[in-house]
Amino acid sequence: MGPSASLPSPRVVGRRLADAGRGALWRRRRGSLGATMVFFFVPKATAAAEEDVGYRADSQPQGTTLLHRNFVSRAAAKALPAVVNITVEVSEATLFGVRRGVSAGSGFIVRDDGLVVTNAHVIRNGQSITVTLNDGRRFLGCKLVAMDRSSDVALVQIDTTRGSSPTTKGRPRLPTVSIGSSSRLVPGDFVVALGSPLNLANSVTCGIVSATARHGSEIGMAQRTDFLQVDCAINVGNSGGPLVDLDGQVVGINTMKAQMADGISFAIPIDSAWQVVRHLLKHGQVTRPVVGFKMVAVVDADGIWGTPGETKVVIAQTMPGSPADKAGVKANDVVLDFDGRPVTNVPDILARIHLDPFQRIPVTILRPNPDDPFSKPTKLHLTITTEPGGGSTMSSSSSLRPTE
């Protein structure tokens, strides 16, 4: 074993760092047992160093988020003032009488007069709703504006005249969140979950998006919607709180976690939740579209309908008398485009069906014909009707647990 290399003195290290202005200066010393110890000295980058690596913040395109040591705290700080804790007094009839208790969850303010978005399962059939703000102010006797159990979205109005702390004359203007877009998320994006797990207010957890379109049927849900799957720690009390991106914009509503598993949690995408919010404010309830066909995604390995290896959406079944049946859609039809957009998977179709009543949507299909292998695409028009909303959020076979 050769002689050990000597480390420079702190004074020499400081001089070298000052001269370098960037990077990491390190030396290693091999101990008597052969173990290697590595020492890192990382100075704060100077303006010259930033120019060398091309990471000056003011040179980045608008909307670009740079990762730094406090990128999570900065994202959380933008939304936290508008995150609230919700407690609801609930009662349940049992064989031994009425059992009373308290349900707790989270929410976020979307309008400065105190309109709060949360999960419907947080509110349930509560008799008394109390909202506590990030700064500790409590508002009693808050009102349930509307609720849609099928999408698990509810709206609560804070009565700012019944706060527990003194306010200025007139109604105070409350902090609000900024609404983002869940459609821009891709697996691997950083996200931050905010809320009050186990009644621990102002909690922040961080993770990544694991999947952007986890359909309810894949996780035992009765909901006909997609969920964001994330690995943030989401626990009891997080329900209704915002899931935000690194710009601090809300991209989802924290809803539930998988039982007997870690790092598998789900949020309602804000794009679909916001449609529900708008309908609840306008109509007090949500009506849902009726299309009338079942569809599956298949891989066209042999290139029967186009390029080999592409995924195609095939109609598996149409319901008699439904809008799809009346438009001429039949089983085994291949959907090429829907509402003017190319279709490569089932979510492409679901994303184009909105909650607005009586939509007229152009659909291009390719109908396989054994007698004519070169059959041409056919354009049809679907006039989608609606059905009343309502219904339960959770199926009895689900292995998921709401986090109210």
Side-chain angles (χ1 to χ4, degrees):
M1 182 181 299
S4 301
S6 61
L7 285 171
S9 68
R11 180 176 300 176
V12 174
V13 169
R15 187 166 58 249
R16 290 182 181 178
L17 291 181
D19 293 338
R22 67 181 186 277
L25 176 67
W26 60 273
R27 292 290 185 271
R28 62 184 179 180
R29 168 172 290 176
R30 191 172 299 277
S32 59
L33 297 180
T36 299
M37 297 176 288
V38 180
F39 299 84
F40 288 91
F41 302 91
V42 183
K44 182 177 179 180
T46 62
E50 288 180 328
E51 291 176 353
D52 285 344
V53 298
Y55 266 78
R56 288 184 63 88
D58 55 4
S59 67
Q60 299 303 308
Q62 186 174 6
T64 300
T65 301
L66 298 181
L67 297 187
H68 38 76
R69 69 178 186 177
N70 57 349
F71 68 96
V72 173
S73 61
R74 288 188 179 182
K78 293 179 181 179
L80 269 175
V83 179
V84 302
N85 173 253
I86 300 173
T87 55
V88 183
E89 294 182 9
V90 295
S91 58
E92 182 180 0
T94 68
L95 294 176
F96 306 100
V98 178
R99 185 176 66 180
R100 302 185 183 278
V102 176
S103 172
S106 306
F108 51 97
I109 305 172
V110 297
R111 213 167 56 190
D112 63 6
D113 65 349
L115 183 67
V116 174
V117 174
T118 186
N119 282 140
H121 71 257
V122 171
I123 303 301
R124 296 182 180 178
N125 296 315
Q127 304 298 317
S128 176
I129 303 173
T130 300
V131 174
T132 304
L133 270 58
N134 174 271
D135 59 10
R137 284 181 291 170
R138 296 175 67 241
F139 295 92
L140 310 176
C142 299
K143 176 186 176 183
L144 173 62
V145 176
M147 171 193 302
D148 181 61
R149 294 185 183 275
S150 290
S151 59
D152 200 12
V153 174
L155 301 178
V156 173
Q157 181 65 54
I158 296 176
D159 184 356
T160 54
T161 64
R162 303 183 64 178
S164 61
S165 59
T167 60
T168 56
K169 292 183 178 180
R171 292 179 178 270
R173 294 300 176 186
L174 301 180
T176 61
V177 297
S178 175
I179 303 298
S181 174
S182 54
S183 63
R184 298 179 181 177
L185 295 175
V186 296
D189 280 350
F190 280 103
V191 285
V192 182
L194 309 175
S196 304
L198 304 177
N199 272 333
L200 301 174
N202 307 332
S203 294
V204 178
T205 60
C206 177
I208 63 169
V209 176
S210 304
T212 57
R214 188 68 69 198
H215 196 267
S217 60
E218 296 182 71
I219 53 179
M221 299 290 295
Q223 280 176 268
R224 297 172 293 179
T225 186
D226 289 335
F227 291 89
L228 298 174
Q229 180 184 332
V230 299
D231 72 348
C232 301
I234 294 179
N235 294 287
V236 175
N238 270 122
S239 276
L243 183 76
V244 304
D245 60 17
L246 293 189
D247 293 319
Q249 296 184 325
V250 178
V251 293
I253 303 176
N254 304 324
T255 300
M256 56 194 167
K257 62 175 292 185
Q259 292 181 332
M260 307 300 293
D262 293 324
I264 303 179
S265 303
F266 300 92
I268 302 171
I270 197 61
D271 290 356
S272 57
W274 203 247
Q275 288 188 56
V276 174
V277 169
R278 289 192 297 107
H279 276 255
L280 289 177
L281 288 174
K282 186 175 181 180
H283 306 292
Q285 65 174 355
V286 177
T287 55
R288 286 182 163 73
V290 177
V291 181
F293 59 64
K294 293 182 179 180
M295 50 191 170
V296 293
V298 298
V299 177
D300 185 12
D302 298 325
I304 299 175
W305 304 306
T307 305
E310 287 186 343
T311 301
K312 299 293 184 183
V313 175
V314 179
I315 302 300
Q317 178 186 0
T318 59
M319 287 63 176
S322 66
D325 182 43
K326 293 177 181 178
V329 179
K330 299 183 181 299
N332 298 320
D333 284 350
V334 180
V335 183
L336 301 181
D337 68 59
F338 193 87
D339 198 19
R341 303 287 182 90
V343 173
T344 59
N345 215 324
V346 171
D348 294 336
I349 294 178
L350 298 177
R352 304 305 301 170
I353 301 175
H354 304 294
L355 298 178
D356 300 319
F358 303 109
Q359 305 167 67
R360 184 172 172 82
I361 297 179
V363 183
T364 303
I365 58 102
L366 181 65
R367 182 162 297 160
N369 186 350
D371 300 326
D372 183 9
F374 301 101
S375 55
K376 296 181 179 180
T378 302
K379 178 164 284 190
L380 305 174
H381 287 85
L382 278 173
T383 302
I384 299 178
T385 57
T386 58
E387 66 180 6
S392 175
T393 302
M394 188 74 62
S395 68
S396 59
S397 62
S398 177
S399 60
L400 300 168
R401 180 178 183 179
T403 54
E404 78 274 14

